[in-house]
Protein backbone atom coordinates (compact mmCIF):
# COMPACT_ATOMS: atom_id res chain seq x y z
CA UNK A 1 0.00 0.00 0.00
CA UNK A 2 2.89 2.33 0.75
CA UNK A 3 4.21 1.85 -2.76
CA UNK A 4 0.82 2.74 -4.25
CA UNK A 5 0.55 5.83 -2.04
CA UNK A 6 4.02 6.99 -3.02
CA UNK A 7 3.25 6.41 -6.69
CA UNK A 8 0.03 8.43 -6.48
CA UNK A 9 1.79 11.19 -4.55
CA UNK A 10 4.55 11.39 -7.18
CA UNK A 11 2.04 11.51 -10.03
CA UNK A 12 0.02 14.18 -8.23
CA UNK A 13 3.13 16.29 -7.63
CA UNK A 14 4.13 15.93 -11.30
CA UNK A 15 0.63 16.98 -12.38
CA UNK A 16 0.74 20.06 -10.14
CA UNK A 17 4.16 20.98 -11.52
CA UNK A 18 2.93 20.56 -15.10
CA UNK A 19 -0.16 22.66 -14.40
CA UNK A 20 1.96 25.50 -13.05
CA UNK A 21 4.40 25.35 -15.96
CA UNK A 22 1.68 25.09 -18.61
CA UNK A 23 -0.22 28.06 -17.17
CA UNK A 24 2.94 30.17 -17.16
CA UNK A 25 3.81 29.16 -20.72
CA UNK A 26 0.29 29.79 -21.99
CA UNK A 27 0.25 33.23 -20.39
CA UNK A 28 3.48 34.00 -22.30
CA UNK A 29 2.10 32.68 -25.60
CA UNK A 30 -1.32 34.27 -25.52
CA UNK A 31 -1.15 38.04 -25.14
CA UNK A 32 -3.98 40.44 -25.90
CA UNK A 33 -1.85 42.70 -28.10
CA UNK A 34 0.09 40.05 -30.02
CA UNK A 35 -1.10 38.20 -33.13
CA UNK A 36 -1.27 34.44 -33.08
CA UNK A 37 0.40 32.91 -36.14
CA UNK A 38 0.29 29.25 -37.24
CA UNK A 39 3.36 28.08 -35.27
CA UNK A 40 2.14 30.00 -32.23
CA UNK A 41 -1.27 28.39 -32.54
CA UNK A 42 0.29 24.94 -32.70
CA UNK A 43 2.44 25.63 -29.65
CA UNK A 44 -0.57 26.99 -27.80
CA UNK A 45 -2.55 23.88 -28.68
CA UNK A 46 0.26 21.61 -27.41
CA UNK A 47 0.48 23.47 -24.09
CA UNK A 48 -3.30 23.51 -23.75
CA UNK A 49 -3.36 19.74 -24.20
CA UNK A 50 -0.61 19.31 -21.59
CA UNK A 51 -2.59 21.47 -19.19
CA UNK A 52 -5.77 19.47 -19.80
CA UNK A 53 -3.96 16.16 -19.28
CA UNK A 54 -2.38 17.36 -16.04
CA UNK A 55 -5.69 18.69 -14.71
CA UNK A 56 -7.38 15.39 -15.56
CA UNK A 57 -4.64 13.47 -13.76
CA UNK A 58 -5.00 15.69 -10.71
CA UNK A 59 -8.79 15.40 -10.70
CA UNK A 60 -8.58 11.60 -10.84
CA UNK A 61 -5.78 11.10 -8.31
CA UNK A 62 -6.70 13.67 -5.66
CA UNK A 63 -10.00 12.05 -4.56
CA UNK A 64 -8.49 8.56 -4.66
CA UNK A 65 -5.50 9.62 -2.60
CA UNK A 66 -7.74 11.45 -0.13
CA UNK A 67 -9.97 8.40 0.24
CA UNK A 68 -7.04 6.02 0.81
CA UNK A 69 -5.41 8.33 3.35
CA UNK A 70 -8.75 8.83 5.08
CA UNK A 71 -9.21 5.08 5.45
CA UNK A 72 -5.95 4.68 7.34
CA UNK A 73 -6.61 4.55 11.05
CA UNK A 74 -4.25 3.84 13.91
CA UNK A 75 -4.35 0.29 15.17
CA UNK A 76 -6.58 -0.16 18.22
CA UNK A 77 -4.70 -0.62 21.49
CA UNK A 78 -4.00 -4.21 22.40
CA UNK A 79 -6.37 -5.64 25.00
CA UNK A 80 -3.56 -7.45 26.79
CA UNK A 81 0.11 -6.61 26.96
CA UNK A 82 2.35 -8.60 24.64
CA UNK A 83 4.17 -11.53 26.24
CA UNK A 84 7.49 -10.60 27.77
CA UNK A 85 10.56 -11.83 26.03
CA UNK A 86 12.60 -14.42 27.91
CA UNK A 87 15.29 -13.03 30.18
CA UNK A 88 18.74 -13.07 28.61
CA UNK A 89 21.03 -15.82 29.83
CA UNK A 90 23.83 -14.74 32.15
CA UNK A 91 27.23 -14.26 30.53
CA UNK A 92 29.63 -17.19 30.61
CA UNK A 93 32.63 -16.91 32.96
CA UNK A 94 35.87 -15.87 31.32
CA UNK A 95 38.17 -18.71 30.34
CA UNK A 96 41.42 -18.76 32.32
CA UNK A 97 44.57 -18.10 30.36
CA UNK A 98 46.54 -21.22 29.47
CA UNK A 99 49.50 -21.94 31.75
CA UNK A 100 52.86 -21.07 30.33
CA UNK A 101 55.42 -23.91 30.29
Amino acid sequence: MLSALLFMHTRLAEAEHTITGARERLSELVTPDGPLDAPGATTTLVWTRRLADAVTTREVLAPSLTQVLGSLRPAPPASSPPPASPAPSPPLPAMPAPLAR
Side-chain angles (χ1 to χ4, degrees):
M1 182 184 287
L2 179 59
S3 177
L5 286 172
L6 289 173
F7 173 76
M8 288 194 303
H9 177 267
T10 301
R11 292 292 310 260
L12 190 58
E14 289 171 356
E16 291 292 340
H17 181 72
T18 301
I19 290 169
T20 302
R23 288 181 64 197
E24 290 173 1
R25 184 67 178 129
L26 283 170
S27 67
E28 294 169 1
L29 291 170
V30 180
T31 57
D33 56 342
L36 191 60
D37 56 355
T42 302
T43 304
T44 302
L45 180 62
V46 168
W47 280 101
T48 304
R49 183 169 294 165
R50 287 182 186 175
L51 178 62
D53 288 344
V55 168
T56 301
T57 300
R58 180 183 66 185
E59 296 302 315
V60 168
L61 286 178
S64 300
L65 191 56
T66 302
Q67 187 176 19
V68 170
L69 290 174
S71 70
L72 298 177
R73 305 266 186 260
S79 59
S80 62
S85 59
S89 58
L92 296 174
M95 297 291 290
L99 300 173
R101 289 188 183 207

